[in-house]
Amino acid sequence: MSTLVIVESPTKARTIRNFLPSTYRVEASMGHVRDLPSSAEEIPEAVKGEKWAQLGVNVEADFEPLYVIPKDKKKIVKELKDALKDATELILATDEDREGESISWHLLQILKPKVPIKRMVFHEITREAIRDALTHCRDIDNRVVQAQETRRILDRLVGYTLSPLLWKKIAWGLSAGRVQSVAVRLLVRRERERRAFRQGSYWDLKALLEKGKISFDAKLVTVGNVKVANGSDFDENTGQIISGRRVLLLNEEQARALLSRIQNKPWTVGNIEERPVTRKPSPPFTTSTLQQEANRKLRLGARETMRIAQGLYERGFITYMRTDSVHLSEQAIEAARSCVQELYGSEYLSPQPRKYTTKSKGAQEAHEAIRPAGSTFRTPQQTGLDGIDFRLYDLIWKRTVASQMADSRQTHVTVLTQVEDAGFRSSGKRIDFPGFLRAYVEGSDDPNAALEDQEVILPALKVGDKPNCKDLEAVGHETQPPARYTEASLVKMLESEGVGRPSTYASIIGTIVDRGYAKLIANALIPTFTAFAVTTLLETHFPDLVDTGFTSRMEQTLDEIATGEAKWLPYLQKFYTGETGLATQVKEQESQIDAKVARTVVLENITAKVCIGKFGAYLESESEEGLVKASIPQDLTPADLDPEQVEFLLKQKTEGPEKLGLHPETGEPIYVLIGSYGPYVQLGDVSETNKKPKRASLPKGTDKDSVTLDMAVSLLTLPRLLGTHPETGAKVQANLGMYGPYVVHDQGKVGKDYRSIKPPDDVLTITLDRALELLSQPKAARGRSKSATPLKELGAHPESGELINVYDGRYGPYVKHGDINASLSKDESVENFTLQRALELLATKEAAGGGKSSSKSKKSTKTAAAKSETATEKTAAKKTTAKKTTTAAKKTTTKKAATATATKKKTT
């Protein structure tokens, strides 16, 4: 007697095998084995002529989905069928969430087993949990499957109906999504607020007082018993004090006059207030809060956080990482309290076990919070983990343990000091008992250091004391625009609005960035001009689809379908085919949408039009000479585009670039220009004989208006030859690159050795000796070298037997076998990446001469690979997770390729 157990991933399968008897065979489905068609090539011949086939959903036959087995899953399905032939029992052990339930259901439909079937669920992969799950199997929950299927159909209807409209009216390749478009609108609305923001300025005084040799700060809060204005008193839309506020707004002159008046006057303590404060620990992590905290503390994106957490779960270190619940099992509470007792002592243990309940109405997925796996918690040091795996586990361990610790007790102290008619406030904080803060401080990576930072100790003071004023200064302030969303704050906003599911936020944010709707710069999500155009079109013609309230209600209905409170078919009919349904709206609105208007972004205070073109955003303005167009630099954001920049870009087009002067040696003019990638200097004019004049980018942070002729001449000398290396005789140069200034030891075919130039060193003045000193230092790990640990182990190569793994590289995930590396496409997730797909990518790369022997071979590989693909295949790859190989492309007819182009768009 043998039992076949099917899970999603090879890592999960390997871990579970260790906990099951030898009569159990564990195989991986590699994620979903069946889905809606992602290209015309996947549509069965029998239905290719049907008008609904491209949609993948037969809206005329009760929204029946057209499920197909993708090409890269056919081998896996065959292997699973073969394995089932020898089994006397089938156990479906996919994750216990909607996605996992759906995968089990699809496996059941494809395999059609004639043996007994069980559905096994668990929230952690430990020996105890797996053995327990075997004795508590259940049937597939068809209501959950129906809810997931409705969600999938709904996403397809929105994406495949609206995306073609965006292609026609704005630009090819754009996409719309049920949750994606709402998230993009949130980014755009915040950017609009930043554009509308009007800065206000105010002044106050700051004093350094001393009592008993202990110094403390004091800030001006009143003058003549009238409150002094601060940033919260300003109207963001006017830059003026909010109407009705009775406050005193000080300018620089008034602040300095007040300073002079009270400079040498006596200070007196007028009032002291001590207020005890008790803080409770935060609940254990959910999917959403883990993404938020990992972004704040570890600077991890949502997608990367989920990838790392998935690996920790599959290897048995943490419980299931897709959950809305903050609940802890009795086993987990006991394990956490045991850790507190052993590591911190009984005084740090909460008097009673803390039990957390999930407040979110739509909470579902796994029924326990994210925590360390097992009945006893391994400390981070006991796991053997390292790098980012260790740091994320450490975060989860600390948060879980802290949730069972005692409250933190603090005393907040406020001291009011008077000098003449000016009142000053000093604030202090004393931590009387750190409690849970000993283990975990939200937003801080080091609890002990954070505890010290949190305390602000004031000297022992009493009313009537006269502290000495050691220093008094006038300080100017300017109000700041609303902060842009980070991944953490966007996730928090989406969750608070009830938009989407936390388990999907990572892929949604990734899609927004990948599709060019936002750029992730310094941890901030900055919407592009394209995002503005798409959002405006959807707001104008399909307002419900980008309304957070409408999308939240849609999410609630999907939850109700999962619990049997709502019916899926009437809901889909009303949403799509009713009188106000999406299909009807698109049909009515398409003729009313002017493509020229849709491609134009209207920004207040900007006289020129901002248009979306084939190669990005550009300015368009009427002048005496006619219509003038000028590209907008890629790093210029919508909130930062002002009239001065518009004038400069247009003037550069009509009058030519700004001339700095003449080169002292050649006599050629030197210009300052702004291009697609920012400001640069240029030597000479573009002409028939000089089609590519020498150019040099400005160093990062250098304003174009601060560039002098001497600086420009120096920049144009780059790369600077500093001399030769004393050991190799090879040249050593200094230059500016994509990642900033650097020195390079160029040994030709042997290779190049780079080191970054950091302040106070300067690329224009650095010497050979200093360059040699930098080159002698160990190279800092970056790019691929930082990820010696694979993101995912795929298995052995069928011919060589060598392991094939996925690694994290400078330009994203890549698969590696021997000396051959092949990048995953932007739409391919590491989680669902298969060995079969890896073999296809590697074979294509190898056939094109792909290796890593030299930069020249890399370049030729890219060229060969590019030539081996058709234009249609490239485009389809973006939407079909690059499932076609070069061989498949050759078999595809021109007619099929055209159809694939029209149907390939797959959205979130």
Side-chain angles (χ1 to χ4, degrees):
M1 178 178 178
S2 65
T3 299
L4 174 64
V5 180
I6 302 179
V7 297
E8 294 97 330
S9 75
T11 304
K12 190 175 175 183
R14 280 195 297 273
T15 308
I16 289 176
R17 281 190 197 110
N18 297 326
F19 307 139
L20 294 175
S22 58
T23 54
Y24 284 74
R25 177 177 175 179
V26 186
E27 297 295 339
S29 70
M30 311 302 287
H32 278 281
V33 290
R34 204 168 67 152
D35 198 2
L36 302 177
S38 56
S39 70
E41 189 182 41
E42 290 185 349
I43 299 173
E45 288 293 337
V47 297
K48 270 197 173 174
E50 303 291 342
K51 61 181 181 181
W52 55 265
Q54 294 180 4
L55 189 61
V57 178
N58 190 348
V59 296
E60 297 172 359
D62 291 342
F63 292 86
E64 182 184 354
L66 174 63
Y67 288 124
V68 297
I69 300 172
K71 187 176 179 181
D72 65 337
K73 292 298 175 72
K74 288 182 177 177
K75 183 179 178 182
I76 294 165
V77 169
K78 183 180 183 304
E79 290 171 351
L80 292 175
K81 285 182 176 180
D82 291 342
L84 187 60
K85 290 176 183 176
D86 301 324
T88 55
E89 183 182 46
L90 172 64
I91 295 181
L92 300 169
T94 53
D95 294 334
E96 191 189 14
D97 59 6
R98 289 171 179 155
E99 205 74 21
E101 205 73 12
S102 179
I103 292 172
S104 282
W105 180 79
H106 280 290
L107 283 167
L108 206 57
Q109 304 304 306
I110 292 173
L111 298 179
K112 295 181 173 58
K114 294 181 173 60
V115 296
I117 305 149
K118 292 180 181 177
R119 172 80 171 101
M120 184 172 85
V121 294
F122 43 84
H123 304 122
E124 59 184 348
I125 305 177
T126 61
R127 184 179 302 278
E128 183 181 4
I130 297 302
R131 293 293 177 93
D132 182 66
L134 274 174
T135 62
H136 294 89
C137 290
R138 60 168 173 79
D139 294 329
I140 288 175
D141 190 331
N142 286 313
R143 291 186 305 188
V144 173
V145 172
Q146 190 67 74
Q148 175 60 26
E149 189 170 51
T150 306
R151 183 184 300 272
R152 183 73 185 94
I153 292 170
L154 203 56
D155 288 341
R156 174 58 71 102
L157 295 176
V158 173
Y160 274 51
T161 304
L162 283 179
S163 296
L165 182 66
L166 298 180
W167 306 343
K168 294 176 187 175
K169 302 299 182 180
I170 298 178
W172 173 257
L174 297 178
S175 68
R178 183 175 60 87
V179 179
Q180 170 197 315
S181 297
V182 177
V184 171
R185 188 193 182 207
L186 288 172
L187 300 183
V188 170
R189 283 173 62 182
R190 180 57 55 86
E191 202 75 358
R192 287 171 180 163
E193 290 169 3
R194 289 176 65 89
R195 280 199 64 83
F197 173 79
R198 295 296 174 263
Q199 196 171 66
S201 61
Y202 60 97
W203 284 73
D204 57 23
L205 302 184
K206 182 180 177 183
L208 181 64
L209 306 180
E210 183 183 58
K211 180 71 167 65
K213 296 186 178 179
I214 297 178
S215 299
F216 59 101
D217 292 329
K219 182 182 176 183
L220 178 70
V221 289
T222 62
V223 176
N225 292 322
V226 178
K227 178 180 177 290
V228 174
N230 59 33
S232 64
D233 296 310
F234 284 83
D235 187 328
E236 293 184 345
N237 297 315
T238 64
Q240 304 298 315
I241 296 295
I242 296 171
S243 178
R245 290 279 172 95
R246 186 175 176 270
V247 292
L248 174 63
L249 178 60
L250 295 178
N251 58 30
E252 181 177 8
E253 183 181 351
Q254 292 167 324
R256 295 196 184 282
L258 176 62
L259 184 151
S260 299
R261 180 161 64 83
I262 66 174
Q263 181 78 60
N264 298 308
K265 298 297 190 294
W267 293 65
T268 305
V269 175
N271 186 47
I272 301 174
E273 180 186 334
E274 291 197 359
R275 182 168 55 92
V277 175
T278 300
R279 281 187 59 193
K280 296 182 181 298
S282 299
F285 281 129
T286 62
T287 300
S288 168
T289 54
L290 177 64
Q291 290 174 7
Q292 293 172 48
E293 194 70 345
N295 184 252
R296 283 194 292 262
K297 282 191 174 184
L298 308 180
R299 284 293 182 260
L300 291 176
R303 193 157 45 177
E304 193 173 4
T305 297
M306 294 308 291
R307 175 185 62 73
I308 298 163
Q310 175 93 24
L312 291 174
Y313 163 67
E314 291 180 348
R315 287 178 284 159
F317 289 106
I318 64 171
T319 54
Y320 191 53
M321 69 291 156
R322 290 190 178 91
T323 174
D324 295 343
S325 174
V326 292
H327 169 71
L328 286 178
S329 65
E330 292 297 329
Q331 178 195 66
I333 291 174
E334 187 179 331
R337 294 179 71 81
S338 176
C339 283
V340 177
Q341 181 77 45
E342 292 175 14
L343 296 172
Y344 302 104
S346 57
E347 70 272 25
Y348 281 92
L349 199 59
S350 64
Q352 298 296 326
R354 295 186 190 271
K355 296 188 177 181
Y356 298 91
T357 55
T358 305
K359 296 178 182 178
S360 170
K361 178 182 181 299
Q364 52 91 36
E365 314 289 5
H367 306 301
E368 196 173 359
I370 303 170
R371 62 166 177 87
S375 55
T376 58
F377 292 169
R378 286 172 284 183
T379 65
Q381 292 73 23
Q382 291 171 337
T383 60
L385 294 168
D386 58 11
I388 198 62
D389 287 348
F390 174 89
R391 297 183 69 193
L392 191 65
Y393 179 85
D394 182 61
L395 197 65
I396 294 167
W397 183 90
K398 285 176 179 174
R399 176 89 162 214
T400 309
V401 170
S403 74
Q404 294 301 316
M405 293 178 73
D407 294 345
S408 167
R409 298 193 301 275
Q410 307 169 7
T411 299
H412 291 192
V413 184
T414 302
V415 176
L416 297 178
T417 314
Q418 198 75 20
V419 50
E420 294 284 305
D421 62 342
F424 285 74
R425 179 190 291 130
S426 301
S427 298
K429 183 165 70 172
R430 188 172 65 243
I431 296 178
D432 303 313
F433 176 66
F436 72 90
L437 295 176
R438 181 59 68 195
Y440 183 86
V441 179
E442 198 165 343
S444 168
D445 216 7
D446 184 350
N448 290 322
L451 283 174
E452 295 174 10
D453 292 342
Q454 286 197 353
E455 283 201 307
V456 180
I457 303 300
L458 297 177
L461 294 166
K462 60 182 183 296
V463 175
D465 280 351
K466 296 187 179 299
N468 296 322
C469 181
K470 294 180 65 178
D471 187 36
L472 184 64
E473 62 176 332
V475 182
H477 307 272
E478 291 181 334
T479 57
Q480 298 300 311
R484 290 185 173 107
Y485 284 105
T486 62
E487 289 198 39
S489 59
L490 182 60
V491 164
K492 186 175 183 179
M493 174 60 80
L494 290 170
E495 185 179 39
S496 67
E497 293 288 341
V499 175
R501 303 299 329 157
S503 58
T504 65
Y505 293 157
S507 62
I508 288 164
I509 293 173
T511 300
I512 288 170
V513 174
D514 292 344
R515 298 281 165 83
Y517 288 125
K519 294 179 181 179
L520 188 58
I521 301 175
N523 208 36
L525 286 163
I526 305 175
T528 61
F529 290 101
T530 301
F532 268 65
V534 170
T535 297
T536 300
L537 184 149
L538 294 177
E539 285 175 330
T540 304
H541 300 279
F542 309 98
D544 280 351
L545 292 179
V546 285
D547 177 66
T548 52
F550 179 84
T551 310
S552 176
R553 290 190 296 274
M554 189 184 298
E555 207 65 56
Q556 290 173 18
T557 303
L558 290 168
D559 289 337
E560 289 165 2
I561 291 170
T563 58
E565 299 172 61
K567 301 295 182 183
W568 68 276
L569 184 56
Y571 180 71
L572 284 178
Q573 289 171 334
K574 181 180 178 182
F575 174 81
Y576 193 72
T577 57
E579 288 184 11
T580 58
L582 180 61
T584 307
Q585 287 186 52
V586 170
K587 199 170 184 180
E588 291 175 352
Q589 295 289 333
E590 184 170 355
S591 60
Q592 300 177 28
I593 300 173
D594 186 308
K596 179 63 178 174
V597 173
R599 294 189 187 106
T600 304
V601 178
V602 178
L603 300 174
E604 59 183 42
N605 301 328
I606 303 295
T607 54
K609 293 178 181 178
V610 176
C611 303
I612 307 301
K614 187 177 180 181
F615 303 105
Y618 64 92
L619 293 169
E620 190 176 276
S621 178
E622 291 286 349
S623 71
E624 294 178 0
E625 291 80 17
L627 194 64
V628 180
K629 296 181 181 180
S631 295
I632 298 175
Q634 293 185 7
D635 61 350
L636 193 56
T637 66
D640 298 329
L641 184 66
D642 57 37
E644 290 75 22
Q645 290 164 322
V646 170
E647 183 183 0
F648 182 88
L649 291 168
L650 292 173
K651 186 178 177 182
Q652 183 175 286
K653 272 287 184 180
T654 56
E655 300 179 14
E658 181 182 334
K659 186 175 176 181
L660 278 177
L662 301 178
H663 194 284
E665 295 177 9
T666 67
E668 293 176 281
I670 296 179
Y671 302 105
V672 179
L673 302 98
I674 295 183
S676 298
Y677 301 98
Y680 62 95
V681 292
Q682 175 179 301
L683 177 63
D685 297 296
V686 178
S687 65
E688 283 298 319
T689 56
N690 188 24
K691 293 183 178 179
K692 291 185 178 180
K694 185 171 179 58
R695 293 170 176 170
S697 296
L698 301 189
K700 192 174 182 179
T702 303
D703 187 80
K704 63 178 179 57
D705 295 327
S706 65
V707 179
T708 63
L709 180 61
D710 289 342
M711 182 191 293
V713 170
S714 297
L715 287 170
L716 289 164
T717 64
L718 297 177
R720 290 175 56 222
L721 179 61
L722 304 181
T724 57
H725 197 287
E727 296 177 9
T728 64
K731 61 185 179 182
V732 177
Q733 293 178 310
N735 202 0
L736 271 174
M738 184 185 301
Y739 302 102
Y742 64 89
V743 292
V744 57
H745 175 204
D746 186 356
Q747 298 183 68
K749 292 183 179 180
V750 175
K752 297 180 180 180
D753 191 18
Y754 296 88
R755 295 293 184 280
S756 294
I757 298 175
K758 306 288 185 187
D761 291 320
D762 189 324
V763 68
L764 300 178
T765 58
I766 192 168
T767 63
L768 175 62
D769 288 343
R770 177 58 180 152
L772 294 174
E773 187 180 338
L774 290 177
L775 289 165
S776 67
Q777 296 172 3
K779 183 178 288 189
R782 80 174 190 189
R784 295 179 179 177
S785 61
K786 73 180 177 185
S787 182
T789 304
L791 302 181
K792 184 173 184 179
E793 297 174 358
L794 300 176
H797 193 285
E799 295 176 5
S800 68
E802 290 184 52
L803 286 177
I804 297 178
N805 297 326
V806 181
Y807 293 91
D808 190 15
R810 184 189 304 173
Y811 305 107
Y814 67 98
V815 63
K816 177 179 177 66
H817 173 239
D819 285 343
I820 300 176
N821 300 337
S823 296
L824 278 66
S825 75
K826 287 183 178 179
D827 282 354
E828 287 184 293
S829 69
V830 175
E831 181 181 334
N832 297 323
F833 195 72
T834 65
L835 176 62
Q836 181 61 35
R837 175 64 186 142
L839 294 173
E840 292 175 0
L841 281 180
L842 291 165
T844 303
K845 191 70 178 285
E846 190 172 17
K852 61 173 189 176
S853 58
S854 69
S855 58
K856 184 177 179 181
S857 70
K858 285 183 183 178
K859 187 174 181 181
S860 64
T861 297
K862 290 179 182 177
T863 306
K867 289 180 179 178
S868 70
E869 297 173 330
T870 66
T872 303
E873 189 182 4
K874 287 182 187 175
T875 309
K878 294 179 183 177
K879 305 301 167 193
T880 63
T881 62
K883 292 176 182 174
K884 299 180 183 177
T885 61
T886 306
T887 306
K890 290 177 181 177
K891 293 179 180 179
T892 305
T893 64
T894 305
K895 182 177 179 181
K896 284 184 180 180
T899 312
T901 304
T903 63
K904 67 193 171 149
K905 187 61 81 171
K906 184 176 182 180
T907 60
T908 301

